[in-house]
Amino acid sequence: MRTRTLVLGTCLAVTAALTATACGSGGTKGTSATGPVTVTLMTWESAGTNAAIDKALADFHAPGITVKRLDTPSGNYADKLAALTQAHQLPDLFWCGNDTEQQYASQGLLTDWSSRLAADTQLAGGFAPNVLANWKSPKGKLGGLPSLLNTYGVWYNADAFTAAGLPLPKAGWTWDEMYRDAAALAHKDGASYGLIADNMTSTDGPFTLSTYALSQGQDGFTDNANNPTRATISPSFTEGVTKLAAAIKAGDVAPPGYDAANAQSLLAAGKLPMLFSGQWLAAGFIANKPSVNVGFAPMPQNGTPATLYDAVGVCTPSATTHPDATFQVLKYLDTTVWSKVLPSSPVAPPAFTGAQSAYFEALAAADMPTVATAVKAGLDTTATSGVRFTTNWAAQYNDLVKAYWQPVLAGGRPVSDLYTMATKIKGLIQSGGNG
């Protein structure tokens, strides 16, 4: 599972070539409409997870349907997808993020599964609340189905907290407590910072800080990541940004631009007290035992719980030759495959609730109770914010964040400049990025 969508924009880069072909699939093959069919599948998973997926797919039995997974070099998924797009040979099913699904669907490049899902009430009713709504385009199209959910929070070195006499982070802890702990633990035992929080200091930062405002009952940064109508800098949002900037200035939190690539390794080695990230790190901790005791806490709050919404899924190009067979495999992936894969690699809870027990059982077997507790808390939280815009002007938004958000956090601009940033984002919303 990827924490960020690597394929964003690859299909958009070759839009002119796709006008007539609509990202046509060359993957599904069959001798006739009712003859043998091969449904192709491409993932971004590791070799170990792909092997588990292959084993699970071997149990898929439907008359005349064979499933073939295409090999994808680890770390080069975007390049492979771009090449297949340009060659009009996209597979029938390919891993995608919510942003990719939204942008591709808006251009008619994906099969719209909305009517088929509406006819399958058992499948449609089995997804976690609001998941499908976040995958529908503004025009109601469903270019794919969500498969795995991300929950966000703070990983922590429990040994460092205990040694410092600090209570361990848990559900209900506050943003002030998080910053207090970061200050108490920074620059000790080889740690450069008390907290590394790339999700707060990067282009995703305004969405993460939305939860600060939502937790106090005020408006988040925007109302909808897929189809926004506003950008809001509320008093609570400003307060949250001010506290984050102060913690960065004090050296307690890593600044914008900090290379967080080795943050998980630092945490595992006892050289980082806290890391803001997602539940997907658990699979790595299970495979490579840390030298310290690590735990995972839900996002901090100021009143009611608030968290981030994020999901990855599986998309299908609009020119798929055999949609009936493809949908059967897609349904099997969501309802059955993850139940077989997650016991060996508990990376994320499935979007289909009937498959979630395997994930939590795997966490229990690995003795990671704090992860299970934090993930369940995240899944049960109703006040949510998206993690990033999925619009066709997302790149322009990113430029604005780099020009305003990150300098504000680094002390190079006043917090009041966030209002200028919001005004420019409103302009993007109103013009659709063509202003």
Side-chain angles (χ1 to χ4, degrees):
M1 184 175 187
R2 292 289 192 269
T3 64
R4 297 179 185 274
T5 304
L6 302 178
V7 298
L8 180 60
T10 55
C11 207
L12 304 179
V14 291
T15 300
L18 299 175
T19 302
T21 60
C23 259
S25 169
T28 305
K29 301 176 181 178
T31 58
S32 69
T34 58
V37 172
T38 297
V39 175
T40 53
L41 166 70
M42 186 168 72
T43 85
W44 56 41
E45 306 296 346
S46 65
T49 302
N50 277 332
I53 290 173
D54 290 342
K55 185 177 180 180
L57 287 172
D59 294 329
F60 173 77
H61 301 293
I65 302 176
T66 300
V67 185
K68 179 182 180 181
R69 183 181 58 79
L70 305 179
D71 286 329
T72 308
S74 179
N76 294 316
Y77 183 85
D79 295 337
K80 180 69 174 286
L81 187 61
L84 290 173
T85 299
Q86 290 177 307
H88 316 310
Q89 292 291 317
L90 280 173
D92 301 297
L93 298 165
F94 60 93
W95 266 214
C96 61
N98 197 190
D99 41 9
T100 300
E101 179 261 344
Q102 288 286 314
Q103 293 195 21
Y104 283 23
S106 69
Q107 298 179 75
L109 303 180
L110 299 177
T111 294
D112 178 15
W113 294 122
S114 57
S115 60
R116 194 178 295 265
L117 191 65
D120 193 333
T121 55
Q122 184 176 11
L123 176 62
F127 284 96
N130 300 320
V131 171
L132 289 176
N134 282 286
W135 272 66
K136 287 185 178 180
S137 73
K139 294 184 179 180
K141 294 183 178 181
L142 195 62
L145 291 183
S147 58
L148 295 175
L149 304 174
N150 281 331
T151 56
Y152 291 78
V154 177
W155 289 90
Y156 58 89
N157 175 354
D159 295 338
F161 272 77
T162 300
L166 298 170
L168 298 180
K170 62 180 181 179
W173 71 318
T174 67
W175 286 82
D176 285 346
E177 288 171 338
M178 181 183 73
Y179 291 132
R180 176 206 64 193
D181 295 342
L185 297 171
H187 317 299
K188 294 182 179 179
D189 299 322
S192 297
Y193 302 100
L195 169 67
I196 292 177
D198 184 55
N199 289 75
M200 298 181 192
T201 59
S202 69
T203 54
D204 294 344
F207 288 88
T208 303
L209 266 293
S210 275
T211 64
Y212 188 101
L214 291 172
S215 185
Q216 289 188 343
Q218 295 190 18
D219 286 338
F221 170 65
T222 189
D223 55 339
N224 192 300
N226 298 339
N227 189 29
T229 64
R230 62 167 175 79
T232 303
I233 307 299
S234 67
S236 287
F237 185 86
T238 302
E239 178 183 279
V241 175
T242 301
K243 289 182 178 181
L244 174 57
I248 292 172
K249 182 178 181 179
D252 304 331
V253 177
Y258 177 83
D259 184 1
N262 66 338
Q264 183 175 3
S265 298
L266 290 174
L267 180 66
K271 297 185 180 301
L272 174 63
M274 292 188 290
L275 171 61
F276 186 97
S277 189
Q279 87 297 315
W280 57 85
L281 297 187
F285 288 135
I286 293 172
N288 303 292
K289 301 296 184 183
S291 60
V292 297
N293 292 312
V294 298
F296 187 51
M299 291 186 63
Q301 60 189 66
N302 293 321
T304 60
T307 192
L308 297 168
Y309 165 84
D310 189 18
V312 298
V314 185
C315 290
T316 297
S318 57
T320 292
T321 311
H322 297 284
D324 290 342
T326 300
F327 189 76
Q328 285 188 60
V329 179
L330 176 57
K331 180 176 179 178
Y332 185 78
L333 284 169
D334 262 359
T335 62
T336 306
V337 166
W338 291 117
S339 296
K340 298 175 180 289
V341 172
L342 293 175
S344 62
S345 182
V347 64
F352 189 77
T353 58
Q356 289 181 356
S357 60
Y359 171 75
F360 289 109
E361 289 169 1
L363 291 178
D367 194 23
M368 301 196 82
T370 61
V371 180
T373 299
V375 169
K376 289 177 181 177
L379 294 178
D380 291 340
T381 299
T382 56
T384 63
S385 167
V387 294
R388 65 187 66 90
F389 284 122
T390 65
T391 57
N392 59 4
W393 43 262
Q396 293 162 272
Y397 156 79
N398 290 343
D399 291 339
L400 289 174
V401 171
K402 293 173 184 176
Y404 290 93
W405 176 263
Q406 292 178 320
V408 165
L409 294 183
R413 283 182 178 271
V415 175
S416 59
D417 276 6
L418 293 179
Y419 293 98
T420 303
M421 181 184 77
T423 298
K424 291 180 178 293
I425 293 171
K426 291 175 186 176
L428 290 176
I429 293 173
Q430 293 168 359
S431 67
N434 297 317

